[in-house]
Amino acid sequence: MLRLLRPKTDLRTLITLLAIASIVITLANSLYASWRVQRELLITNTLEANRVYAAKLAATTGQFFQQAQSQLAWSAAELGAHFDDDALLEREVERLRQQTNSFNSVLVVNAAGWVRAISPESLTLKGMQLHTDSTREALTRRTALIGQPSISAAKNLIVFVSRPIWSADGSYLGFVGGTIYLKRKSILNELLLSQFYRDGTQLYVLDRNNRVLYHQNGELVGKKIAPLLHQDATSYASNGYQEINDEHGVPVLAGFAHVPDSDWTIIALKRTSTTLAPLSSLLLQIIKHSLPLALLTLAAAWLLARLIAMPLGQLARKASQMDEPDAAVEINAIRSWYFESSQIKRALLSGIGLMQTKIGQLKSEVQTDPLTQLLNRRGLQAVLEYLATTRQPFAVLALDIDHFKRVNDTWGHDTGDQVIQQVAQQLKSYARQTDVACRSGGEEFLMILPGADHETAMKMAERVRQATQHQAIEPVGEITLSIGVSCWLSSRESIAHCFRRADEALYCAKRAGRNCVVAATLQEESEA
């Protein structure tokens, strides 16, 4: 039986693997796309939130300084009319510090830099001449001023807010100013702390020289740090955001805003890793919700793969068994429900038909003499096996062309072949439907007459002899046959013995002068 080598992987497995790969790739692509989108969204939202946060604090800080300037402006107007009244000066600085709570200390300084009044008095600066940078700037510029952070005469890091005092005739008398402590408790610290986000966000308030004026870590206040933002502080836009590294080199998301009144920059920072921490749980949620649908899709793909592969698998198995007798019937019974399998089924059926036809042709060619198209000895053997199996009696005619060697020697082998073909044609034309004509070799022929008795066989032999003799062949002319006849009865002898008797009768016909029919004698048959 024909067996084809079967690959280890079948179509159903391949389709299932393809479906699994498609689902995994699609899911991975979706997860990656979701991760990228969510990452960008988290970063963008955090940057924007930090920018808004910093802008809000900058606006609040600006409003505080404007309010402080407004308070100092009212006091400066009052003090300008009574600048020589020391008691009034003392009351006013005490009122400013106690009532407004905007300043840690308040003082009045004359045009020469001498302190006329101060609150609280514990600072013991009254009657002293000040030489700090903030004092010199206020005396020189003679305008409303928010000074840069500096070290005060009392050795505190302060921001000094001042307002000039003018007399009624327009003479410059000095200034009234308030200090805001940066390292100690102050209204500014409380204001910034009240707006603090407790989500890992860090807040930096920097002056123009990158000195830290406020941070949750008080140890940083007053220290200069490396620039956090990519551009110089003096060229900052009013607000914005950047992805930067903090002073430790850690990636952070920064939102910033500028306080124009004080030339400060407020920066809100949040670590990128903190911002992206929810991504992992988000991806797990996506997988959790996607997995049931993915499994359902996989089950549907497996079922569809099974339905698709079933007819192809059946056809493939039958393709390796096409030489079996019922292969065509079994293939025809396979349900091919889609075009490709139907076409393969049709091709297999056509192939079986062609193969069977070819096999029949090959068998016929093996059992047929190519020159005469009569059966050869192999074909005769198949016929005899059938007759022996069925135990059907038959008669044998052994025929030989007379003087055939002379034909070959005189006119050549081509003419000899024509003579053989002509004799074969005579045998076929006189044979009954059940008779079998065979070329046993050279110029010798055999005829098997199933069911024929002695008399019928003799009549058939004589008709063939006479017809051949009367059919002249150019250029040979008359051709004659010598024929030996015997009959086989299944209960009396073997088939081989029957053929030997036919050959002996043929030789008797040759010895009797040729062109005659000789039957095996009754005595010979009785002896058999």
Side-chain angles (χ1 to χ4, degrees):
M1 180 181 294
L2 177 63
R3 294 295 179 185
L4 300 178
L5 181 62
R6 181 179 179 181
K8 296 182 179 180
T9 305
D10 56 17
L11 181 62
R12 182 173 64 183
T13 303
L14 290 176
I15 295 177
T16 304
L17 290 177
L18 179 61
I20 293 175
S22 300
I23 292 172
V24 170
I25 292 173
T26 302
L27 183 60
N29 186 60
S30 300
L31 290 175
Y32 178 71
S34 298
W35 179 82
R36 287 296 302 269
V37 170
Q38 292 298 326
R39 183 181 188 278
E40 293 300 321
L41 188 62
L42 285 173
I43 289 176
T44 301
N45 288 346
T46 301
L47 287 171
E48 179 62 18
N50 286 348
R51 183 197 67 80
V52 172
Y53 178 31
K56 178 182 178 182
L57 291 180
T60 302
T61 303
Q63 292 173 359
F64 167 76
F65 282 125
Q66 291 174 6
Q67 181 180 0
Q69 282 287 1
S70 179
Q71 294 168 353
L72 292 177
W74 190 90
S75 295
E78 287 294 316
L79 296 177
H82 308 283
F83 197 70
D84 294 331
D85 188 344
D86 289 340
L88 178 64
L89 297 181
E90 292 290 348
R91 288 195 302 273
E92 184 59 24
V93 295
E94 188 67 19
R95 183 194 68 80
L96 273 176
R97 189 178 71 84
Q98 294 288 352
Q99 185 176 355
T100 64
N101 200 31
S102 297
F103 306 105
N104 292 90
S105 63
V106 181
L107 73 166
V108 176
V109 178
N110 64 17
W114 294 90
V115 177
R116 293 284 305 279
I118 187 170
S119 175
E121 294 182 353
S122 60
L123 295 177
T124 65
L125 295 178
K126 184 177 180 180
M128 295 180 59
Q129 188 177 24
L130 300 179
H131 300 283
T132 63
D133 294 338
S134 298
T135 302
R136 286 195 296 268
E137 185 178 11
L139 293 174
T140 302
R141 296 181 59 180
R142 297 182 181 184
T143 185
L145 183 66
I146 301 175
Q148 289 300 307
S150 60
I151 302 299
S152 66
K155 307 302 181 182
N156 291 319
L157 180 63
I158 64 168
V159 174
F160 188 64
V161 183
S162 64
R163 192 81 180 190
I165 301 174
W166 302 92
S167 64
D169 60 2
S171 300
Y172 178 69
L173 302 177
F175 63 83
V176 57
T179 60
I180 302 171
Y181 294 169
L182 297 179
K183 286 190 172 183
R184 296 166 60 183
K185 181 179 179 181
S186 67
I187 185 62
L188 182 60
N189 280 342
E190 293 178 0
L191 185 67
L192 294 173
L193 186 61
S194 67
Q195 302 293 329
F196 175 54
Y197 286 179
R198 307 191 190 285
D199 62 350
T201 302
Q202 300 183 64
L203 185 64
Y204 286 84
V205 179
L206 306 176
D207 65 7
R208 69 178 66 173
N209 298 315
N210 284 315
R211 183 187 308 212
V212 179
L213 306 181
Y214 175 83
H215 190 268
Q216 292 93 318
N217 182 5
E219 295 181 359
L220 291 177
V221 177
K223 296 181 179 180
K224 288 186 178 182
I225 62 174
L228 293 175
L229 302 177
H230 297 322
Q231 58 192 97
D232 186 71
T234 58
S235 62
Y236 291 159
S238 60
N239 59 72
Y241 52 72
Q242 294 180 3
E243 294 185 51
I244 60 173
N245 294 328
D246 63 11
E247 69 274 12
H248 304 295
V250 178
V252 294
L253 306 174
F256 63 89
H258 195 59
V259 184
D261 295 331
S262 59
D263 200 15
W264 292 358
T265 300
I266 297 177
I267 304 175
L269 301 180
K270 188 173 183 179
R271 290 192 174 187
T272 305
S273 58
T274 303
T275 300
L276 299 179
L279 264 183
S280 299
S281 60
L282 179 62
L283 290 179
L284 289 177
Q285 289 296 321
I286 293 175
I287 294 174
K288 180 180 178 181
H289 289 88
S290 301
L291 193 58
L293 182 59
L295 293 176
L296 183 62
T297 304
L298 182 60
W302 178 85
L303 180 60
L304 183 60
R306 186 173 183 272
L307 292 176
I308 293 174
M310 182 180 296
L312 293 179
Q314 293 173 341
L315 290 172
R317 286 190 292 273
K318 291 303 175 184
S320 64
Q321 304 169 4
M322 291 175 63
D323 56 338
E324 293 185 353
D326 297 331
V329 176
E330 294 176 356
I331 290 176
N332 195 49
I334 295 174
R335 181 175 174 269
S336 299
W337 57 274
Y338 55 93
F339 177 76
E340 288 77 5
S341 63
S342 177
Q343 291 297 98
I344 294 174
K345 175 181 175 181
R346 181 178 302 176
L348 284 177
L349 291 174
S350 299
I352 289 176
L354 291 174
M355 184 179 69
Q356 291 177 345
T357 301
K358 188 65 176 177
I359 290 173
Q361 291 175 350
L362 290 174
K363 288 182 177 179
S364 176
E365 291 174 359
V366 169
Q367 296 178 356
T368 302
D369 176 60
L371 180 62
T372 63
Q373 299 304 307
L374 298 179
L375 291 180
N376 56 20
R377 285 187 176 275
R378 182 174 295 182
L380 176 63
Q381 184 63 34
V383 173
L384 295 177
E385 288 176 358
Y386 170 77
L387 293 175
T389 302
T390 59
R391 311 299 293 178
Q392 182 179 0
F394 61 88
V396 179
L397 306 185
L399 306 95
D400 186 85
I401 301 173
D402 296 332
H403 305 295
F404 183 75
K405 185 175 184 302
R406 185 176 61 188
V407 173
N408 278 338
D409 293 342
T410 304
W411 289 283
H413 289 282
D414 290 341
T415 301
D417 289 344
Q418 292 178 9
V419 171
I420 290 175
Q421 289 173 339
Q422 184 64 38
V423 172
Q425 187 63 36
Q426 290 293 333
L427 296 181
K428 286 190 287 185
S429 63
Y430 279 92
R432 300 173 303 175
Q433 186 175 2
T434 57
D435 295 343
V436 177
C438 168
R439 183 187 178 195
S440 57
E443 69 276 17
E444 298 177 356
F445 297 88
L446 290 170
M447 286 190 71
I448 309 298
L449 310 179
D453 55 14
H454 178 78
E455 183 180 356
T456 302
M458 291 298 292
K459 290 180 179 180
M460 172 66 75
E462 187 59 33
R463 284 199 300 268
V464 171
R465 186 194 66 76
Q466 292 179 7
T468 304
Q469 182 180 3
H470 295 155
Q471 185 72 37
I473 301 175
E474 295 295 334
V476 179
E478 184 180 277
I479 295 296
T480 62
L481 295 176
S482 297
I483 305 174
V485 179
S486 69
C487 292
W488 179 72
L489 300 175
S490 60
S491 61
R492 298 178 59 183
E493 65 177 338
S494 67
I495 291 178
H497 190 266
C498 177
F499 274 82
R500 283 198 298 271
R501 289 192 299 105
D503 285 338
E504 291 173 359
L506 172 62
Y507 295 144
C508 289
K510 290 285 188 180
R511 290 193 294 269
R514 295 182 174 86
N515 191 23
C516 62
V517 177
V518 175
T521 64
L522 294 177
Q523 183 179 0
E524 290 173 340
E525 293 185 358
S526 63
E527 289 175 358

